[in-house]
Amino acid sequence: MEIEEGHSRIHERIENGAYAGSLAMVESEQDIALEDTDRIQGRSALVNNVKAASSLAGAIRSTLGPKGLDKMLVEADGSAIVTNDGVTVLETAKVEHPTARLLIDASSSQDRAARDGTTTTVILVAELLQNALELVRMGVHPSVIVNGYDLAVNESIGELERVAEVADRPQKSQVVGTSLQGKGDSSLCNLLATLAMEAAEALVDQEGGDDLERLRVKRLQVRQGSSMDSSLVNGLMLLKSRVDMATPASSDGGVIAIVDGGLENKKLEINASIEVEDTGVLQGFHDRAIENLQASVGHLKSLGVDLLIARDGVSDEAIPLLSKAGIVAYRRFERKDMELLSKITGASSVRDVLSLKESDTGVFSRRSEESIGEVKHTLIEGSMGGGMTLVVRGSSPAVREESIRIFNDAIGVAFRLNRSPEILPGGGAIQAHLARFLRSYALKQSGREQLAIEAYAAAMESIPRILAENGGRDPVDVILSLAADQQEMGPWIGFNLDEGRNSDMKEAGVLEPLFVVRHALSGSTEAAISVLRIDDVLWAKTDPSTPDWKGEEFED
Ligand code: ADP
Ligand code: MG
């Protein structure tokens, strides 16, 4: 398969045995589904676990980096997705082997915590395990390797923090750009990265956890326009219009009330029947219902409410009452939208209108309605800010969903970067540097841990090696020249895939957040160590002193 320049996509059908189940995959000798996991003991357990990890990493290594290939995943029903994203590949596949699951969990955890570096994580686990297996074959006990890996990861993280620098605004953009490399059309990625940066900056002063970037930025799909027309608007935009078209379509602000219920008569139970003996009874029911609605609307009016948002219905009888009181109402709001609106206006939602207190109301600063195509949309801006809507345009759902995926990745990184602005060089630079750093650290260690630290260093080099391979370059040449150039010019020299040569990653703008690199290291080491520990337990069960090489089936 040849590598094409630019953004043309190469679709590679995965024919790796790591996939089974819902994906139509070709069976191969690398099939990792093990039926006899329980019975596998001693060394052969480790061999099989390493095999599982390697075959999984093998399936996604060609997606690493901007020149990585796309994978086309074919589902059992014939539908297909094309992706360059390691975590998508892994999460879509049905994988049975416990070690393979562990790798997928490590990459999902990377995705959740750092939103990038998922492919890197899986590759590192597999390399760490492969190198560990080689040591085990030389007679090094897994627990020694675990100790060495522990020392190595701690030293490495310390070194990452020493090398890292605080990013300025343009560098933050470059970091977001680097994280989107290869994920889609470059002008679309640029647009979405810019919007993500804007959104992330608007959230800087907001309190809350990492899920703010999800909760405070609504993604709204609009069919009209092309994906390049997507935009970010301040406030909550939604596909909805007011209940009474006779009320004003826009407003310059006022008091808002949010009700986690409705403004309607209690419905009679479906099976209940009432015997109406004289017509006055029915009229009585109706009158009382209207009185209740009047009381509710009167209560809203007494609190000065201009805008009512209801999660449930607003009944036909209530609509004229509200309009007469000068209250514009919206009904059937989704809870997510209510929560966003509540944040940006300061209103807290109450169960029913009559329990609303003045302190529950909030302030909106603008409301407007706009037809996009034939469809009415409403925009409500809050007085407190901190909430936005990404209006995702595009002609087909697939195009819009692709934009949303790219935006999600971009804002995930942009948002975290504002909280942790330290950055590191990409292009395999930081891993090449760690490899050199760890090798000199290993020399200071005594005993067999030294071997494990060297094995760890070698695993780090897999990242520049695979980046070079995917860029169609000789990996050995790249590793050697990187080591030489870094020796002379320091750790910020990396392999620039756009130019096909080593360069200063700051000048090239190939930058990665410290939190991505650090989490990839700690996550992959943790996963590798837990596989080594499984083996350790099994080994102890048979005979703690002699490795059991029976059933060895690595060289196939
Ligand atoms: P991951 O899922 O691990 O993030 P990616 O496919 O996104 O995998 O690849 C990320 C790797 O590609 C990082 O090591 C990053 O530094 C590298 N990279 C991105 N852009 C470039 C570039 N222009 N030149 C060299 N390396 C790059
Ligand atoms: Mg990435």
Side-chain angles (χ1 to χ4, degrees):
M1 183 145 307
E2 59 179 50
I3 312 280
E4 284 179 21
E5 296 296 321
H7 301 286
S8 52
R9 297 295 189 96
I10 299 160
H11 307 302
E12 185 190 69
R13 175 86 185 279
I14 301 179
E15 294 189 341
N16 189 296
Y19 301 91
S22 72
L23 294 176
M25 294 294 175
V26 177
E27 289 276 318
S28 86
E29 59 201 345
Q30 283 177 312
D31 205 315
I32 53 162
L34 291 177
E35 280 138 37
D36 293 345
T37 313
D38 297 349
R39 289 194 281 117
I40 295 169
Q41 292 191 335
R43 288 289 67 76
S44 62
L46 181 60
V47 170
N48 279 312
N49 286 334
V50 173
K51 233 168 105 177
S54 302
S55 103
L56 202 59
I60 60 158
R61 58 187 276 146
S62 69
T63 72
L64 185 75
K67 305 268 161 145
L69 302 179
D70 290 342
K71 297 283 187 194
M72 180 155 90
L73 306 172
V74 184
E75 304 260 5
D77 66 3
S79 65
I81 13 171
V82 175
T83 180
N84 172 277
D85 192 12
V87 77
T88 309
V89 175
L90 295 181
E91 284 180 345
T92 317
K94 278 232 167 89
V95 176
E96 308 287 344
H97 193 283
T99 299
R101 276 251 54 96
L102 196 109
L103 261 76
I104 293 171
D105 292 347
S107 94
S108 305
S109 142
Q110 176 76 21
D111 189 42
R112 272 194 310 278
R115 296 302 281 278
D116 197 17
T118 52
T119 312
T120 303
T121 302
V122 173
I123 290 172
L124 288 179
V125 187
E127 293 283 326
L128 287 169
L129 284 174
Q130 226 151 20
N131 296 353
L133 182 62
E134 266 167 44
L135 290 183
V136 168
R137 285 178 157 158
M138 286 164 55
V140 181
H141 195 284
S143 64
V144 175
I145 303 174
V146 167
N147 287 344
Y149 278 10
D150 243 352
L151 289 172
V153 72
N154 290 334
E155 281 301 309
S156 298
I157 285 171
E159 180 64 7
L160 290 182
E161 283 160 3
R162 278 189 291 276
V163 174
E165 293 179 12
V166 172
D168 59 21
R169 174 70 170 68
Q171 284 173 331
K172 283 181 187 167
S173 283
Q174 291 171 331
V175 173
V176 176
T178 304
S179 79
L180 296 184
Q181 287 266 354
K183 290 205 170 152
D185 171 70
S186 72
S187 45
L188 180 62
C189 284
N190 282 341
L191 170 69
L192 294 168
T194 309
L195 299 180
M197 285 288 291
E198 261 175 52
E201 275 161 7
L203 295 177
V204 162
D205 302 325
Q206 299 289 318
E207 271 173 38
D210 281 350
D211 52 358
L212 271 190
E213 38 110 344
R214 212 165 31 76
L215 302 177
R216 298 293 189 82
V217 188
K218 179 190 166 94
R219 282 74 158 162
L220 177 71
Q221 296 194 30
V222 170
R223 204 180 306 141
Q224 274 71 28
S226 86
S227 48
M228 289 302 291
D229 300 326
S230 295
S231 61
L232 187 73
V233 295
N234 187 25
L236 171 71
M237 183 155 157
L238 70 180
L239 206 157
K240 210 170 258 311
S241 59
R242 59 206 188 278
V243 294
D244 183 358
M245 296 314 264
T247 51
S250 65
S251 148
D252 286 335
V255 175
I256 179 176
I258 304 176
V259 184
D260 190 2
L263 199 59
E264 49 196 344
N265 307 322
K266 294 271 178 307
K267 300 237 163 49
L268 293 172
E269 290 292 315
I270 292 170
N271 286 326
S273 64
I274 37 169
E275 228 169 280
V276 183
E277 276 163 10
D278 80 74
T279 49
V281 174
L282 200 58
Q283 190 57 44
F285 271 121
H286 187 70
D287 291 348
R288 226 164 314 134
I290 295 287
E291 273 165 32
N292 283 343
L293 289 175
Q294 264 162 347
S296 297
V297 172
H299 183 58
L300 289 171
K301 198 173 154 75
S302 73
L303 293 174
V305 171
D306 303 294
L307 178 59
L308 173 71
I309 303 296
R311 187 166 71 86
D312 297 334
V314 173
S315 71
D316 289 347
E317 290 89 355
I319 291 173
L321 299 176
L322 286 165
S323 304
K324 226 176 100 202
I327 299 169
V328 176
Y330 287 82
R331 63 185 161 194
R332 309 219 181 282
F333 249 64
E334 282 182 33
R335 186 157 266 140
K336 272 200 327 244
D337 292 338
M338 285 170 46
E339 281 163 8
L340 181 58
L341 203 49
S342 164
K343 283 291 176 210
I344 65 179
T345 60
S348 22
S349 71
V350 293
R351 236 355 256 146
D352 71 296
V353 170
L354 286 172
S355 63
L356 189 79
K357 295 187 298 297
E358 189 166 5
S359 58
D360 296 322
T361 63
V363 179
F364 68 102
S365 50
R366 195 164 80 90
R367 177 182 62 84
S368 58
E369 291 195 10
E370 179 196 355
S371 291
I372 305 178
E374 301 284 276
V375 195
K376 281 269 189 218
H377 288 75
T378 296
L379 174 68
I380 303 171
E381 285 177 53
S383 59
M384 303 174 69
M388 286 142 285
T389 305
L390 175 75
V391 183
V392 188
R393 307 261 189 159
S395 49
S396 77
V399 167
R400 297 192 295 267
E401 272 149 29
E402 153 124 327
S403 291
I404 292 180
R405 267 198 303 277
I406 296 171
F407 178 81
N408 287 350
D409 286 338
I411 193 172
V413 170
F415 177 78
R416 285 163 180 77
L417 199 56
N418 278 323
R419 294 188 163 183
S420 331
E422 297 85 4
I423 53 164
L424 289 165
I430 192 61
Q431 292 86 2
H433 171 72
L434 282 182
R436 284 188 313 121
F437 168 81
L438 286 171
R439 284 188 182 115
S440 67
Y441 167 72
L443 295 177
K444 288 178 238 148
Q445 300 300 307
S446 56
R448 296 180 166 209
E449 268 92 4
Q450 190 175 333
L451 294 173
I453 296 166
E454 276 161 6
Y456 194 99
M460 292 300 112
E461 268 172 356
S462 63
I463 300 304
R465 201 174 66 225
I466 294 169
L467 283 174
E469 270 169 30
N470 290 347
R473 296 292 303 273
D474 183 82
V476 177
D477 287 350
V478 169
I479 296 288
L480 290 175
S481 73
L482 257 187
D485 288 350
Q486 286 197 342
Q487 187 80 44
E488 198 183 321
M489 292 173 278
W492 289 79
I493 306 297
F495 179 58
N496 184 343
L497 274 159
D498 298 326
E499 295 175 4
R501 62 183 179 85
N502 296 343
S503 67
D504 186 330
M505 294 288 101
K506 259 188 254 174
E507 276 161 31
V510 180
L511 302 168
E512 297 195 54
L514 169 64
F515 63 81
V516 169
V517 180
R518 181 171 49 204
H519 197 279
L521 269 198
S522 57
S524 59
T525 310
E526 215 171 273
I529 284 180
S530 62
V531 174
L532 291 170
R533 287 228 165 93
I534 296 170
D535 176 78
D536 204 22
V537 170
L538 290 170
W539 195 355
K541 259 198 232 161
T542 48
D543 177 352
S545 59
T546 40
D548 168 19
W549 291 105
K550 279 200 294 287
E552 164 84 27
E553 42 176 290
F554 194 69
E555 271 105 16
D556 45 16

